[in-house]
Amino acid sequence: MYIQSTIISNDSLPKEMRSLLDGETNWIANCSNFSSLLFYALKDINWCGFYILDGDELVLGPFQGKPACIRIPMQKGVCGTAAYSRKTIIVDDVNEFPGHIACDVDSRSEIVIPLEYKGRLLGVLDIDSSKLARFTEQDAIVLQHLCSILIDNCSWPEL
Ligand code: SME
């Protein structure tokens, strides 16, 4: 039922996400299901997952897609840049982003959303597409909303 939907038209994603996370606060379980729901809900996605803050760098968290690089230093790649700036980054063409870290050669565009709780950086959500310019500002708004649902539903470790 999710596979045909697109991120912009799917107004039910927040509701689906809430019901998927309901009654569970374990961040690993919830991030795992979060990445799976999005991976199968969104069109033209080849990777969807988390990098979690670990000391002064990011470490691979729950994801869907091909195996990916494990550690990303702060300010490096799209993920490290979004984490450091705490701003969502949309990359229309990954080959045009200086320092982009290629994990899956199929990836052509990418969106990274920082996750914060009470001013504390938790990590980032990273989504890749094999299509150029797959992600829009509207996608960013929807994904930020979904991330806020996730953040509010989890007990986060002391990072
Ligand atoms: N492209 C990311 C690395 C993570 S993978 O895309 C899964 C980056 O440049 O930070």
Side-chain angles (χ1 to χ4, degrees), residues 47 51 60 68-69 72 76-80 94 97 99-104 107 110 112 126 128:
W47 201 92
Y51 281 90
L60 184 62
C69 57
I72 299 177
K76 298 291 182 191
V78 187
C79 292
V94 295
F97 189 93
H100 169 259
I101 300 165
C103 292
D104 183 339
S107 296
E110 182 165 356
V112 179
D126 179 18
D128 290 9

Side-chain angles (χ1 to χ4, degrees), residues 83-155:
Y84 184 77
S85 65
R86 300 199 185 192
K87 288 191 166 61
T88 295
I89 297 180
I90 295 172
V91 181
D92 288 341
D93 180 351
V94 295
N95 292 322
E96 300 294 324
F97 189 93
H100 169 259
I101 300 165
C103 292
D104 183 339
V105 289
D106 289 338
S107 296
R108 305 293 302 279
S109 62
E110 182 165 356
I111 185 168
V112 179
I113 292 151
L115 309 177
E116 286 181 272
Y117 182 67
K118 293 182 178 171
R120 186 164 63 102
L121 181 69
L122 302 168
V124 300
L125 171 69
D126 179 18
I127 306 178
D128 290 9
S129 173
S130 58
K131 291 208 165 174
L132 284 171
R134 160 64 180 81
F135 303 102
T136 64
E137 292 296 335
Q138 181 61 30
D139 291 336
I141 291 167
V142 173
L143 289 167
Q144 284 161 352
H145 180 49
L146 292 173
C147 285
S148 72
I149 294 170
L150 173 74
I151 290 165
D152 289 345
N153 274 275
C154 292
S155 294

Side-chain angles (χ1 to χ4, degrees), residues 35-55:
S35 65
S36 178
L37 179 63
L38 288 187
F39 189 75
Y40 288 105
L42 309 183
K43 285 176 74 175
D44 304 320
I45 299 301
N46 64 309
W47 201 92
C48 174
F50 295 89
Y51 281 90
I52 302 296
L53 189 67
D54 183 23

